[in-house]
Structure formats: C-alpha cells, structure tokens
C-alpha cells in the first residue's frame, strides 16, 4: 500500500576542527577577502585523520534517531549519499549499520550523485515508501571532502568542508504531507568539468577534485533554477507557496541567483555555507537540521530543496514538513 514519506527527525554533525580563510592563506596564495567575496565562505570544518565518513554519519544519525524517537534496530533501511566513502566497498551505509549496532538486517546502500546525492537519496527512499515501506528509513548525506582535495590547488581547496546531516523518514497515509515530489536529472556529457582524477577501475587511485569553476558556476545557476521551477510547475504552485528554500551550499552567488529567479527574499533561504563551506551531499541535510533546530523551519511549512553537482547531476524535492 502506497505511503508518504514524512520527516520524523533530523540531526547533523560538524568535525571539531574549524579552519578559517586566514588559516588557509598561510597554506596557499589566497585571502579571506578573495574567498568570501567570490563564494560567501569564511570557515569550514575538517575531519581528523582517524575520522572516516561513517564516523561523521554516525554522529548525525544518532542525533536524528534521537530526535525522531526511533531505535536503530527498528529501521527498515539506511541510505548514505556520499562521494567520499570509507572504502571502495562495502558501502558506507553497511559500515554505518554496524556502527549503529543494527542487528535487524535492514537494507543498507550508498547513493553516488556528488552534491546532488542527498536529493537523489531522498527520492530513492521515497520510492520505497511509495511501494509500501512501513518502517522508518535513515537517509544521510555525509562527506569527508578534505580527503579528495588537492591542498596545493587554491582554486578548489578553499571551497569545501566536511560534515554529515541525517533525516529519519517515516511512513504516513496522509498524501498531503512529507515528500510531495522529487525531480532528478543528470547530463554525463559534462563529467570532465567537475570530477576526480582517480578511481578504482581507471588508475586505482582515489584522486583529487578538479573543477572548471566558471563553467560549473554557469551551469549550476541554470540547473538549480530549472529544478525549482519544475517542482513548482508540477505541483501547480508559485514561489509564494514556498516557506523555505533549502539549497545546496556551493556558493552564495549561485544561491542568490536562484532566490532571485524565484523572487524569494534571502530571509526565506537557508544558508549555512559561511561557516561550513561546500560539504557536497551533506550540505542540504546540514542546512535543514540547522534551520529546524533553531526554530526557523516549523511543522506544516513547505520546503523546496535543490542541488547540483558533479556528473552533472541536479534535482529538487518539495516537502511539507
Ligand atoms: N585565492 C586567490 N585567487 C584565486 C583563488 C584563490 N583561492 N582561486 C583562483 N584565484 C585567482 C585565479 O587564478 C584568477 O586569477 P587570474 O585572473 O590572474 O587568472 C582569479 O582569481 C579569478 O579566478 P576565476 O576562476 O575567474 O574566479 P571566479 O570569479 O570564477 O570564482 C569560483 C571562482 C569561486 C570557483 C567560482 O567560479 C565558483 O564558485 N564556481 C562554482 C563552483 C561550485 O559551485 N562548485 C561546486 C559544485 S558542487 C559539486 O558537485 C562539488
């Protein structure tokens, strides 16, 4: 029987080590002024050497399970969106399942869509509810981006950070609440514009992130805008029906351009990138948990999540919280 996926609880985690733009300027030829003006970023959190992505995910997951009042052993599944898995295999979700102490043998798998990963994972989880899933599902975006950065490349290393955000989804019979619709896209012709130069079956390396910043910027502005317009049109809504835009946190200028396209004031847009940087798949659930925890996002409000990332991938999710 078809169910709707509703958000029961959220949680997030940022590593202790906070690195400022000034700290980075001691390492590469850059400045707080350049980074902040071009991206809106001032600080990012960097995981320690002995913290893997599953450890970041574990902290966020425990908080989300606690907020949802759900026992890990009662989960019907664990989906982790990440582009920085602990290992090539098994999945970070399977490793996390063990760390959470889950013995129920629920499904666990990773989703790889880079910065759009969390929206892809939400859509995937929603599909399980649509086909009758009745148990809660843990959906996480978790990244240790610091492990795939070239720390001598000032054009990329200043933009990213580490962290994890989690939501626990539950089943509801009310079709007017929870995840209303999701919209996913990809265009692999642009893969080289944003990628790593390594992989298990190519050169047996993890590789480092490379990016053609200007081209990514242009594509991101267009893709994010089209993803939000698509979500609104498909639901017969206008921007006035949206209480909060929760965008992927890549660059404040991209976020502002999307808000402008929607004619939405920036005080209805959740922004966390100033102190987190771009945490890839973790950025949307981190932003969501931030705005829910501080009381900005309230029950009953309508949220529009949108993301764009390597692939290229992009997409949106319309949620009644
Ligand atoms: N500090 C100081 N100077 C720098 C730095 C730095 N960290 N990085 C580059 N520069 C220099 C460049 O070398 C260049 O110098 P030149 O003119 O002498 O050649 C100058 O600054 C301008 O560089 P541009 O690349 O033209 O700067 P731009 O205004 O395009 O901003 C940026 C660069 C911030 C990367 C922007 O293009 C951007 O945000 N792009 C999108 C990035 C993004 O969102 N990526 C994530 C996508 S999500 C995912 O899937 C990972």
């Amino acid at each position: 029987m078809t169910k709707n996926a509703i958000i029961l609880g959220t949680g997030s985690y940022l590593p202790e080590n906070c690195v400022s733009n000034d700290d980075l300027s001691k390492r590469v030829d850059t400045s707080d002024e350049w980074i902040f003006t071009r991206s809106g970023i001032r600080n990012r959190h960097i995981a320690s050497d002995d913290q893997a992505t599953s450890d970041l995910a574990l902290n966020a997951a425990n908080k989300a399970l606690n907020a949802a009042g759900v026992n890990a052993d009662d989960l019907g599944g664990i989906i982790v969106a990440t582009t920085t898995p602990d290992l090539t295999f098994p999945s970070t979700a399977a490793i996390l399942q063990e760390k959470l102490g889950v013995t129920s043998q629920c499904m666990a798998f990773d989703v790889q869509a880079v910065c759009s990963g969390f929206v892809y994972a939400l859509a995937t989880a929603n599909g399980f509810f649509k086909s009758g899933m009745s148990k809660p599902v843990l959906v996480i975006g978790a990244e240790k981006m610091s492990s795939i950065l070239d720390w001598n490349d000032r054009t990329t290393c200043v933009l990213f950070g580490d962290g994890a955000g989690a939501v626990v989804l539950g089943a509801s019979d009310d079709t007017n609440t929870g995840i209303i619709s999701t919209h996913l896209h990809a265009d692999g012709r642009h893969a080289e514009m944003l990628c790593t130069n390594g992989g298990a079956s190519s050169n047996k390396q993890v590789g480092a992130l490379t990016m053609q910043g200007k081209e990514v910027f242009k594509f991101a502005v267009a893709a994010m805008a089209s993803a939000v317009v698509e979500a609104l049109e498909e639901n017969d809504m206008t921007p006035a029906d949206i209480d909060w835009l929760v965008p992927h946190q890549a660059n404040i200028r991209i976020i502002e351009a999307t808000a402008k396209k929607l004619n939405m004031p920036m005080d209805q847009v959740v922004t966390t990138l100033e102190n987190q940087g771009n945490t890839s798949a973790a950025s949307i659930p981190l932003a969501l948990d931030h705005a829910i925890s501080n009381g900005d996002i309230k029950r009953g409000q309508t949220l529009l999540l949108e993301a764009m990332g390597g692939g290229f991938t992009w997409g949106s999710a319309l949620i009644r919280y």
Side-chain angles (χ1 to χ4, degrees), residues 191-202:
E192 283 179 8
M193 285 189 195
L194 181 56
C195 58
T196 62
N197 54 11
S201 63
S202 54

Side-chain angles (χ1 to χ4, degrees), residues 112-132:
Q112 161 59 301
V114 202
C115 299
S116 312
F118 184 74
V119 174
Y120 266 68
L122 268 189
T124 306
N126 194 34
F128 284 105
F129 287 98
K130 292 282 173 231
S131 55

